[in-house]
Amino acid sequence: NKWKIKIIESGSFKLDGGAMMGSVPKVLWKKTNSCDELNRIDLSMRCLLLDNNKDVVLIETGIGNKNNQKFIDMFCIEQSEFPLKDELKKHGYDLKDITHVILTHLHFDHAGGATYFDGSNNLPTFPNAEYIVSKTNWEAGINPNPKDRASYLFENFISLQEKGQLRLVEDNEKIMDTIEGLAFYGHTTGQQLIKVTVNNDSLIFCSDLIPLKSHLKIPWIMGYDLSAMKTLEEKTLFLEEASRKKWLLFFYHDPKTVAVRIEKDE
């Protein structure tokens, strides 16, 4: 079961550098992530397309195009008018070709492109796709806590359920042949990283456990995370395994680095 892999750059946006780096002082983080006059750093929204001639799987959907001008300015969003449609077209795909959409979690910069506004309703962007979300994160998304409520916008995902295109999976479940979810709880409840394995080699879609290459350093943890201690624990174990098994780590948010393999040193 071989996958052809395509990188789908769905656009860029900016978030506060301090919030992205948590307790790391600016004098340190600005060396690797320069900021604008409002202290915001550049972030990509790099989705992944997998095609085995039968299934066409999209991991993540970017920020979408339903946002008003105030939102666009606040997050300095740069993308085309219909980013997923335009980017897929460059690779010879149409919205209707996608058979599965896997969302690591439902925060607006990951799930925004899952639906679009047709003038009267928010509808699933991919009419023929099954959308896969972890059950625990779906619950978190529809009953958000005060800390990450602003990141869960119902218009990005409620219609997936209404249209019968939603499939909820258990934590750490095998999603499809060669694709499985890995559950993490530090950033938000039930985030699932996606592990794709072919011939004993694995690619991990790191989502918001390791959003930027800078976050490979263990103490570099986002201020956005629900629990820094939980992320610290999860990340330490994850990086141990990733270095031991030589996993290819794919970054969603790093504007310059697409993927790395890591080795353990001091």
Side-chain angles (χ1 to χ4, degrees):
N1 191 341
K2 279 274 207 294
W3 293 104
K4 282 197 304 251
I5 292 184
K6 311 271 183 199
I7 290 168
I8 308 294
E9 296 281 2
S10 77
S12 67
F13 72 125
K14 293 180 194 276
L15 287 174
D16 184 85
M20 282 300 291
M21 302 306 180
S23 60
V24 179
K26 183 174 181 177
V27 65
L28 288 180
W29 63 249
K30 72 175 186 186
K31 291 177 190 166
T32 47
N33 301 83
S34 59
C35 61
D36 68 7
E37 69 288 352
L38 295 175
N39 210 48
R40 300 175 302 183
I41 62 171
D42 292 330
L43 299 171
S44 68
M45 292 176 283
R46 185 180 297 112
C47 309
L48 195 61
L49 183 102
L50 307 168
D51 180 353
N52 64 3
N53 295 326
K54 180 170 74 81
D55 302 306
V56 183
V57 180
L58 182 67
I59 303 175
E60 233 68 312
T61 63
I63 210 160
N65 59 358
K66 303 185 297 296
N67 308 304
N68 61 33
Q69 197 55 50
K70 184 184 166 196
F71 191 93
I72 291 167
D73 294 341
M74 182 163 68
F75 294 108
C76 204
I77 300 169
E78 288 189 26
Q79 58 183 25
S80 68
E81 207 168 314
F82 202 149
L84 288 173
K85 188 176 187 176
D86 299 337
E87 290 304 307
L88 286 169
K89 195 174 172 184
K90 287 180 191 171
H91 295 280
Y93 295 92
D94 192 71
L95 297 175
K96 64 179 190 303
D97 298 332
I98 305 297
T99 60
H100 301 78
V101 175
I102 303 175
L103 298 170
T104 64
H105 61 301
L106 296 169
H107 281 173
F108 68 76
D109 54 319
H110 294 254
T115 64
Y116 75 102
F117 187 63
D118 75 341
S120 49
N121 297 297
N122 289 321
L123 297 171
T125 303
F126 304 97
N128 301 321
E130 176 179 70
Y131 286 79
I132 298 157
V133 183
S134 85
K135 195 178 287 181
T136 44
N137 188 250
W138 179 263
E139 291 300 326
I142 56 176
N143 304 296
N145 68 60
K147 174 116 163 71
D148 57 358
R149 177 175 293 145
S151 298
Y152 287 112
L153 309 179
F154 287 2
E155 64 266 26
N156 288 334
F157 49 83
I158 288 297
S159 68
L160 306 178
Q161 189 177 48
E162 291 168 352
K163 295 286 174 198
Q165 287 179 237
L166 180 69
R167 173 179 149 207
L168 297 178
V169 294
E170 299 297 339
D171 285 357
N172 303 310
E173 190 178 313
K174 186 174 176 178
I175 294 170
M176 304 169 61
D177 193 33
T178 73
I179 300 179
E180 61 185 302
L182 308 173
F184 291 86
Y185 279 74
H187 174 61
T188 189
T189 307
Q191 173 184 214
Q192 55 172 355
L193 272 53
I194 306 303
K195 182 181 180 193
V196 184
T197 305
V198 177
N199 300 338
N200 297 324
D201 192 13
S202 296
L203 175 149
I204 314 290
F205 191 97
C206 290
S207 195
D208 280 352
L209 177 70
I210 308 172
L212 298 165
K213 190 171 110 178
S214 309
H215 293 103
L216 287 167
K217 299 186 195 77
I218 295 211
W220 291 46
I221 289 167
M222 290 192 285
Y224 295 111
D225 286 9
L226 290 185
S227 166
M229 277 311 295
K230 187 80 184 144
T231 297
L232 191 72
E233 257 167 61
E234 291 177 335
K235 199 159 88 168
T236 304
L237 290 171
F238 175 80
L239 291 172
E240 289 274 353
E241 193 172 0
S243 61
R244 199 171 65 244
K245 296 183 176 169
K246 298 186 169 43
W247 286 345
L248 183 64
L249 306 181
F250 182 94
F251 300 122
Y252 181 65
H253 282 312
D254 196 297
K256 299 189 186 83
T257 307
V258 175
V260 295
R261 293 186 201 268
I262 56 171
E263 281 181 5
K264 192 174 180 187
D265 59 15
E266 312 69 53

